[in-house]
């Protein structure tokens, strides 16, 4: 509340007063140079100061009510910044279990290109699902992206811990996971989902 009061009221008021005093002094000094009578110089100085203070105050009010950046509502700026950020990509996948008797939908938090690169690396390149292989400088994923993807793959049973009690030993593809990776590796740009059976 104190910050809102300072930025929304006191700061514009201080700017207005300082500008008004400065304008009054400058016009009064100009009156001395132009040989105005002291009374005329003072009156004109006061009028100029009041006009300058009023204009600065009005400009501050107009600025605070601009819809694209209201200075008095920082939450609005944060919301607009969040909306400007690109949305995370995900791929909708249908897990076809028991020859179509059980369908499960899941969204894998990765782009089609990332999943294709992962699939080719695992199936053809002999890569593992270690974080260090897929993240870092020039990696296919950021650390947070890879962690989210691996978490979803674990949740859906597409990968499993090599040693459940020792996560440091990493994960490996399960049988449905291998089928999923084959689907991603062979997918053309047009399909939007992968289908496979356990």
């Amino acid at each position: 509340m104190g910050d809102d009061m300072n930025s929304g009221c006191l700061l514009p008021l201080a700017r207005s007063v300082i500008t008004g005093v400065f304008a009054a002094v400058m016009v009064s000094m100009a009156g001395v140079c132009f040989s105005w009578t002291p009374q005329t110089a003072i009156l004109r100085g006061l009028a100029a100061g009041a006009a300058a203070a009023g204009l600065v105050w009005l400009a501050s009010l107009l600025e605070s009510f601009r819809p694209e950046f209201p200075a008095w509502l920082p939450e609005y700026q944060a919301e607009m910044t969040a909306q400007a950020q690109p949305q995370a990509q995900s791929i909708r996948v249908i897990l076809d279990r028991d020859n179509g008797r059980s369908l499960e939908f899941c969204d894998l938090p990765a782009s089609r290109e990332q999943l294709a690169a992962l699939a080719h690396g695992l199936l053809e390149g002999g890569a593992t699902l270690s974080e260090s292989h897929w993240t870092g400088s020039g990696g296919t994923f950021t650390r947070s992206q890879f962690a989210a993807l691996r978490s979803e793959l674990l949740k859906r049973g597409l990968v499993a811990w090599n040693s459940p009690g020792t996560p440091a030993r990493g994960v490996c593809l399960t049988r449905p996971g291998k089928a999923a990776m084959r689907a991603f590796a062979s997918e053309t740009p047009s399909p939007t989902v992968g289908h496979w059976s356990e």
Side-chain angles (χ1 to χ4, degrees):
M1 182 67 180
D3 288 342
D4 290 344
M5 183 70 171
N6 287 338
S7 63
C9 184
L10 296 181
L11 187 59
L13 180 62
R15 287 180 186 159
S16 300
V17 169
I18 291 170
T19 303
V21 169
F22 181 75
V25 169
M26 293 304 291
V27 170
S28 297
M29 289 177 62
V32 172
C33 293
F34 292 115
S35 301
W36 295 341
T37 63
Q39 184 180 5
T40 302
I42 291 172
L43 287 176
R44 288 182 180 175
L46 290 174
L55 286 174
V56 170
W57 178 257
L58 182 61
S60 296
L61 285 178
L62 291 175
E63 182 179 347
S64 70
F65 287 108
R66 283 192 322 193
E68 59 269 17
F69 181 68
W72 44 268
L73 189 56
E75 296 84 7
Y76 180 86
Q77 182 189 13
E79 181 181 332
M80 294 303 292
T81 303
Q83 288 177 359
Q85 299 296 325
Q87 296 296 314
Q89 293 182 322
S90 65
I91 298 295
R92 171 61 56 96
V93 176
I94 299 175
L95 303 175
D96 180 359
R97 302 181 190 276
D98 300 325
N99 294 322
R101 288 192 290 272
S102 173
L103 295 178
E104 182 180 343
F105 294 86
C106 68
D107 292 316
L108 296 180
S111 69
R112 183 176 311 283
E113 294 77 17
Q114 288 174 318
L115 288 174
L118 179 68
H120 285 292
L122 294 173
L123 297 175
E124 301 163 10
T128 65
L129 281 164
S130 68
E131 184 177 293
S132 60
H133 184 87
W134 296 101
T135 64
S137 179
T140 306
F141 303 91
T142 64
R143 287 186 183 279
S144 61
Q145 286 174 335
F146 188 77
L149 176 62
R150 186 173 62 184
S151 175
E152 190 65 23
L153 293 174
L154 279 164
K155 178 180 169 185
R156 301 300 178 174
L158 301 177
V159 299
W161 293 109
N162 288 320
S163 176
T166 316
R169 292 188 179 174
V171 295
C172 62
L173 287 171
T174 60
R175 194 164 69 88
K178 288 177 183 175
M181 291 303 146
R182 283 194 295 273
F184 291 131
S186 63
E187 210 171 23
T188 61
S190 55
T192 57
V193 295
H195 302 267
W196 57 86
S197 298
E198 270 188 73

